[in-house]
Amino acid sequence: MPNADQNDILFERARAVIPGGVNSPVRAFRAVGGTPRFIRRAEGAYFWDANDKRYIDYIGSWGPMILGHGHPAVVEAVQKAVLEGFSYGAPTEREIELAEAILALVPSMEMVRLVSSGTEAAMSALRLARGATGRKHIIKFEGCYHGHADALLVKAGSGLATFGHPTSAGVPPEVTQHTLVLEYNNIAQLEEAFALHGNDIACLMIEAIAGNMNFVRATPEFAKRCRDLCTQHGALLVFDEVMTGFRVGLHGAQGVLGITPDLTVLGKVIGGGMPLAAFGGPRAIMEQLAPLGPVYQAGTLSGNPVATACGLATLKEIAKPGFYEALSKKTQSLVEGLKAAAAAEGQPFNADSEGGMFGFFLMNELPQNYATVMTTDNAKFNALFHGLLDRGVYIAPALYEAGFVSAAHSDEDIAATIEAARQIFKASQPR
Ligand code: KE4
């Protein structure tokens, strides 16, 4: 009897006690099929599954592991922190240090509140925007994901005047009735929405480089219109940088685009792999938050001393001179290599990257919106995903997810990835 696949065994056990066998849906491989890999350990650019098979990791915990797994300075900081205590439920100096470090790197923020997940940060920023403006309506874009707070689990209504409908059971339509869902990069729609509802809009929330539809950039014109229309109508511009913050560059997507949002939502990298996220902005807005102001927000583990130690140690490393130049160069070499491999085999393919974040599409264009991304041939993507997985390369198990390169990925890892993809492109040649 060949060695039983330990991932199958664990998956069966997991499904008996955890819905779908996972604690976050995308991990279940339902979009790509097959058995999720149960990871036993990780180091640098790699992790090993339950069969002790090694993979080059392009998930990086969906963004946080920008230094790679187990960076010595981060491990040391966490080990020291846990010996001082896991959690106090009282303020600590380290929370001040992390807040100061974030504010030094995100000039649009004068104050920041630490929380434990991107969902919590986006949800809180939304409540703050509504509280600070006294308005109810919000704008989001199809293809952007801001966590699973009820008001943000919305799909587009039938037209501009109509508001969104819930994308999830358990979300009453009353909760999403104030959420307008527009097409990403569609300036005409944006202008119409503000013309119709401008004075009732509390905020516009956007991923300025959208990693939840793989990798779609807001055009500079679109991003500027979002900024200008929010200013003109007194709505707050909220950049959800949970994924792009400290990932696409030291100053995030707002640094790449040169746009100053009113509020910024952060997560992933700032926690270095521990549960930590944040939201922040100008003092006048942030001081609307409890305990100073009327907008309530709280959290047992907010600013957790171990998570803040992990985040601080991570930020210290990425703030070092040359970090992003080296990371960007490595990511670009991956993207250019994949494009060349696909072209050599006559496969429709395009890709883009910024800093340590990349995306690719099995089409020759770079999509500008969600509808175009979703025209991807699922079967072709799944074949590529599993072909890479079999060759020890782990990319996102869904075509609408971005990829992440860490400082630990070597040139050899990049070359091996490109070669693996070339073999798959070649094999999928029409005979
Ligand atoms: P969390 O609640 O998962 O920490 O963050 C929610 C969130 C908010 N905003 C953006 C732009 C995000 O990308 C996310 C979470 N990203 C997904 C990956 N696309 C996390 C992976 C998962 O859901 O398991």
Side-chain angles (χ1 to χ4, degrees):
M1 159 110 155
N3 284 340
D5 184 313
Q6 294 305 313
N7 293 304
D8 288 334
I9 292 169
L10 288 173
F11 195 33
E12 189 173 347
R13 231 177 93 200
R15 281 180 296 184
V17 291
I18 303 172
V22 294
N23 286 309
S24 198
V26 71
R27 302 176 190 172
F29 278 24
R30 292 179 73 87
V32 294
T35 301
R37 299 313 192 252
F38 283 70
I39 305 307
R40 286 213 188 290
R41 64 186 178 92
E43 188 183 337
Y46 317 117
F47 53 31
W48 286 260
D49 73 7
N51 297 327
D52 207 28
K53 178 184 168 96
R54 191 196 81 164
Y55 299 90
I56 302 172
D57 173 17
Y58 287 105
I59 298 276
S61 180
W62 299 97
M65 307 318 293
I66 195 165
L67 298 177
H69 297 284
H71 187 288
V74 179
V75 171
E76 185 187 347
V78 170
Q79 285 174 327
K80 184 169 175 293
V82 292
L83 294 176
E84 294 164 350
F86 283 71
S87 181
Y88 316 125
T92 62
E93 184 179 3
R94 198 175 295 136
E95 290 163 86
I96 307 168
E97 284 179 281
L98 180 57
E100 289 168 344
I102 291 170
L103 298 184
L105 295 171
V106 188
S108 62
M109 284 183 174
E110 291 179 319
M111 299 192 97
V112 64
R113 171 61 59 86
L114 303 178
V115 295
S116 300
S117 75
T119 292
E120 194 182 353
M123 173 184 76
S124 306
L126 177 56
R127 183 181 310 129
L128 177 59
R130 283 173 157 161
T133 61
R135 299 176 178 181
K136 288 184 284 193
H137 296 343
I138 60 173
I139 288 177
K140 77 171 289 290
F141 295 93
E142 193 177 35
C144 289
Y145 174 67
H146 306 294
H148 59 91
D150 281 356
L152 293 164
L153 289 180
V154 195
K155 60 178 178 282
S158 57
L160 272 188
T162 59
F163 285 82
H165 306 293
T167 54
S168 166
V171 177
E174 294 79 9
V175 172
T176 59
Q177 65 182 326
H178 302 296
T179 307
L180 266 172
V181 182
L182 305 182
E183 184 178 69
Y184 199 81
N185 278 325
N186 187 326
I187 292 178
Q189 247 197 32
L190 180 72
E191 291 177 338
E192 197 180 345
F194 270 95
L196 281 171
H197 307 288
N199 297 331
D200 300 324
I201 292 171
C203 71
L204 178 155
M205 187 177 283
I206 187 168
E207 291 180 69
I209 298 177
N212 285 286
M213 40 180 161
N214 201 306
F215 189 104
V216 179
R217 293 175 188 270
T219 63
E221 302 75 21
F222 178 69
K224 188 166 182 326
R225 273 319 269 150
C226 287
R227 175 63 281 171
D228 292 348
L229 286 166
C230 282
T231 304
Q232 184 186 330
H233 292 273
L236 298 182
L237 176 61
V238 183
F239 268 22
D240 178 345
E241 298 225 43
V242 166
M243 192 184 288
T244 54
F246 305 115
R247 169 55 71 171
V248 299
L250 189 55
H251 306 296
Q254 55 195 269
V256 170
L257 280 161
I259 298 266
T260 301
D262 298 301
L263 291 175
T264 300
V265 183
L266 295 169
K268 297 182 192 279
V269 168
I270 69 166
M274 298 288 282
L276 196 151
F279 63 103
R283 183 178 303 279
I285 297 174
M286 293 301 287
E287 288 188 340
Q288 302 281 318
L289 280 171
L292 294 178
V295 180
Y296 193 69
Q297 187 277 328
T300 301
L301 298 177
S302 296
N304 171 272
V306 179
T308 48
C310 192
L312 258 178
T314 300
L315 290 193
K316 278 177 186 148
E317 293 302 320
I318 65 176
K320 286 179 179 170
F323 179 85
Y324 284 97
E325 288 73 13
L327 184 65
S328 299
K329 189 162 169 284
K330 205 177 297 185
T331 313
Q332 285 159 3
S333 68
L334 171 67
V335 161
E336 293 312 314
L338 291 172
K339 286 160 73 172
E345 303 301 340
Q347 295 293 334
F349 185 92
N350 208 332
D352 193 3
S353 74
E354 189 69 40
M357 182 171 156
F358 69 93
F360 63 79
F361 301 93
L362 303 183
M363 57 184 82
N364 287 323
E365 65 178 304
L366 276 180
Q368 294 289 298
N369 57 47
Y370 180 70
T372 308
V373 172
M374 297 315 283
T375 62
T376 300
D377 179 330
N378 249 312
K380 275 184 80 174
F381 176 82
N382 294 352
L384 177 62
F385 172 81
H386 282 288
L388 289 171
L389 200 65
D390 293 346
R391 291 169 173 81
V393 176
Y394 194 118
I395 64 168
L399 64 87
Y400 47 79
E401 297 284 1
F404 306 97
V405 173
S406 81
H409 283 74
S410 67
D411 294 341
E412 292 71 25
D413 296 325
I414 301 295
T417 304
I418 293 164
E419 174 53 22
R422 191 197 61 74
Q423 291 172 11
I424 299 160
F425 292 142
K426 188 174 184 66
S428 57
Q429 275 292 8
R431 291 282 166 237

